[in-house]
Amino acid sequence: MDEKDLFLADIRKSLGYSAQDARTTQECASLFASADDAAVLERIQYRTHVEKQALLKILQENAEKINLDVQPVKSLADAATRIVEIVEKAEPEFGHTKQLIQHDDTVLAKLQLWKRFSGKAVQVHTAYAVDSQVREKSIASYVGLTAPRWAVAESATIVELGEPGRPRSTSLVPSVHIALIHLKDVLAELSEVYAMLRQQPPEHSCLFISGPSKTAEIEAHMVHGAHGPRQVHLVVVDEQLKEAEGLRGSGLFSS
């Protein structure tokens, strides 16, 4: 019996099963069956706006359980306003200088946060791949702003794909992490993430974030910010909702 068999035997014994209860791979065919990625990808592609809004509601419910703040907004302008509010409310743990570092991302660039913070003594950095000072700027920043690839409703997980200009440090080093995502990129469950990753494997790192950093090692008392951000905010942009509201009164809706 090798180490794997010994390990499984210990688990089986702890669960009250005998060695005769061990099952073979052939007996658990459904567990080891290949995923039907085509069906999963088709489901994602043809998901309606109403279904996406239902996923957002599930995401909010599950996020509350892990202290992840989810803020739906109707436009990028509203998202910028919400991000400014979060930054102004949060105080640096050390010193009084407020600095923010963001991913080098086209959507984040459209927020033009440097204009929003003009005259407010908040310095905005961008993690350009060619900037040799990104490490120092990440350490100096107390807020990190990222553009995740997806968010998962069933586990309230933010999925980041690392690459040049989008380092992992932006979401891991600052005390406050703000993530901006569009509603269309909210997925139902992790199996959908894996199907998307199998379709387009990431060239660099893949990061799964479920709420703020936390530990309960000391007397089972939960503490946030043990090995990473103590606050995580997810801003979800639903521009389609604003368009639908704009059509009310046009005769397309009964009320």
Side-chain angles (χ1 to χ4, degrees), residues 243-255:
E243 294 172 4
E245 289 183 348
L247 291 174
R248 293 195 183 280
S250 64
L252 293 175
F253 296 93
S254 57
S255 60

Side-chain angles (χ1 to χ4, degrees), residues 228-245:
R230 54 186 167 84
Q231 294 180 31
V232 179
H233 305 269
L234 177 62
V235 180
V236 183
V237 182
D238 182 6
E239 292 176 310
Q240 201 171 345
L241 179 61
K242 188 175 183 178
E243 294 172 4
E245 289 183 348

Side-chain angles (χ1 to χ4, degrees), residues 16-181:
Y17 294 102
S18 67
Q20 288 69 35
D21 293 319
R23 292 175 292 178
T24 65
T25 301
Q26 290 70 27
E27 292 176 301
C28 307
S30 61
L31 292 177
F32 297 93
S34 299
D36 184 359
D37 285 351
V40 175
L41 295 173
E42 183 177 357
R43 183 173 70 223
I44 296 171
Q45 182 178 359
Y46 293 104
R47 187 164 281 149
T48 66
H49 183 241
V50 172
E51 291 172 330
K52 293 172 186 173
Q53 287 184 310
L55 289 182
L56 176 58
K57 186 175 182 181
I58 295 171
L59 171 63
Q60 288 179 287
E61 292 172 352
N62 290 328
E64 186 175 356
K65 300 171 186 173
I66 58 174
N67 206 28
L68 167 64
D69 174 48
V70 178
Q71 295 284 336
V73 296
K74 299 176 185 175
S75 67
L76 279 180
D78 290 346
T81 300
R82 180 59 189 135
I83 291 168
V84 169
E85 290 173 353
I86 295 170
V87 173
E88 290 184 337
K89 185 177 181 181
E91 293 296 331
E93 293 172 307
F94 306 101
H96 303 285
T97 304
K98 290 188 174 182
Q99 298 190 51
L100 175 151
I101 187 164
Q102 64 181 17
H103 277 168
D104 180 13
D105 179 85
T106 54
V107 174
L108 298 185
K110 290 179 181 177
L111 299 177
Q112 296 186 313
L113 290 179
W114 60 275
K115 285 186 178 179
R116 297 271 186 157
F117 289 120
S118 177
K120 295 186 178 180
V122 177
Q123 194 170 359
V124 178
H125 306 291
T126 299
Y128 295 115
V130 296
D131 187 351
S132 61
Q133 300 296 313
V134 168
R135 182 177 183 274
E136 288 74 15
K137 290 174 181 176
S138 298
I139 294 173
S141 298
Y142 84 115
V143 177
L145 175 60
T146 67
R149 185 63 189 88
W150 303 289
V152 183
E154 76 164 351
S155 57
T157 300
I158 296 168
V159 183
E160 306 258 7
L161 301 183
E163 58 185 63
R166 308 165 67 91
R168 289 179 298 173
S169 59
T170 307
S171 61
L172 296 175
V173 175
S175 296
V176 180
H177 174 205
I178 305 173
L180 175 67
I181 197 168

Side-chain angles (χ1 to χ4, degrees), residues 190-204:
L190 289 172
S191 61
E192 294 186 353
V193 174
Y194 295 128
M196 297 290 278
L197 290 174
R198 281 191 287 268
Q199 184 188 40
Q200 288 186 315
E203 296 183 8
H204 300 276

